[in-house]
Amino acid sequence: MTVIAGVDFLNTSLSPFVQVEDENRIRFSIDDLSFKEFKLLLLALNRNLSTMAFSKRKVGWGKVKPYYLYRFMRIPSWSVHSCAIDWLYFAVVRNLRQRDIEQFYKAYRRKVHMPLVTYFYNEDTFIRISPFYVDIISDDVTLIAHLRSSFSNRVTDFDGVLPISEEEW
């Protein structure tokens, strides 16, 4: 479950963006990727990214509570997975629709109280949304090349500074 497109995204000590070669990844600045462009990006992906995982810090003792994601999306089923870091966990939501992903992105860009890092994924591709970037990582190098040409005006170059891991957030 934790290995998607050859990346263990529950590995909180290393950002997924640096775990793959350049031909398997593309990055957009979240400030430059509008809601309309994000919808076009999802359409260009032509993938069913129906599963979502997000990291959250555990607060106190007792039952782990989800974010109020139901305000933005339909949550048919979800589960909680422990993480190597005691104060962090990952929640997984399954069977999402594309509209759910779109509404989540719209709320995330408005800086509504949201999970810090979120993944939408299937067997070979995932989108990682963080406060600064939208990363797409895929086994399909043809897909990444197509996205680079289709969204060439929005691609953010990897600047050589190591991306912040989930643990460092």
Side-chain angles (χ1 to χ4, degrees):
M1 179 205 96
T2 65
V3 177
I4 307 296
V7 176
D8 181 3
F9 66 84
L10 294 185
N11 174 358
T12 57
S13 62
L14 189 61
S15 170
F17 193 78
V18 298
Q19 293 183 47
V20 297
E21 298 298 320
D22 194 46
E23 64 188 13
N24 296 96
R25 66 186 183 197
I26 187 170
R27 168 169 278 181
F28 303 92
S29 168
I30 197 163
D31 292 330
D32 295 337
L33 190 65
S34 70
F35 175 64
K36 182 179 179 180
E37 291 168 324
F38 183 76
K39 286 173 67 171
L40 292 172
L41 181 64
L42 285 178
L43 188 62
L45 276 171
N46 194 24
R47 300 284 196 275
N48 182 17
L49 304 173
S50 63
T51 306
M52 169 188 182
F54 60 91
S55 60
K56 185 175 181 190
R57 187 179 291 240
K58 292 180 184 175
V59 181
W61 298 95
K63 187 177 178 182
V64 176
K65 295 182 181 178
Y67 288 96
Y68 295 107
L69 295 176
Y70 62 85
R71 294 179 184 163
F72 314 107
M73 60 183 17
R74 173 186 62 92
I75 302 177
S77 77
W78 69 285
S79 58
V80 174
H81 300 272
S82 61
C83 185
I85 304 167
D86 289 340
W87 48 267
L88 189 68
Y89 71 87
F90 279 89
V92 175
V93 180
R94 300 189 190 290
N95 303 319
L96 294 175
R97 302 171 298 193
Q98 182 165 327
R99 177 166 163 64
D100 296 324
I101 299 171
E102 292 168 0
Q103 292 306 314
F104 176 87
Y105 185 75
K106 188 181 212 178
Y108 200 96
R109 285 206 67 221
R110 287 192 318 251
K111 308 298 183 208
V112 174
H113 181 67
M114 299 295 273
L116 200 52
V117 179
T118 305
Y119 300 87
F120 294 98
Y121 63 92
N122 64 17
E123 310 77 44
D124 66 351
T125 303
F126 68 82
I127 297 176
R128 178 182 186 253
I129 301 174
S130 70
F132 304 110
Y133 299 115
V134 174
D135 295 333
I136 299 174
I137 297 175
S138 181
D139 283 336
D140 187 351
V141 295
T142 308
L143 171 67
I144 297 297
H146 170 70
L147 293 176
R148 282 186 195 279
S149 66
S150 298
F151 294 90
S152 60
N153 60 332
R154 293 290 179 228
V155 174
T156 300
D157 290 330
F158 180 51
D159 54 16
V161 176
L162 284 179
I164 297 173
S165 68
E166 277 69 354
E167 184 173 12
E168 294 168 320
W169 282 111

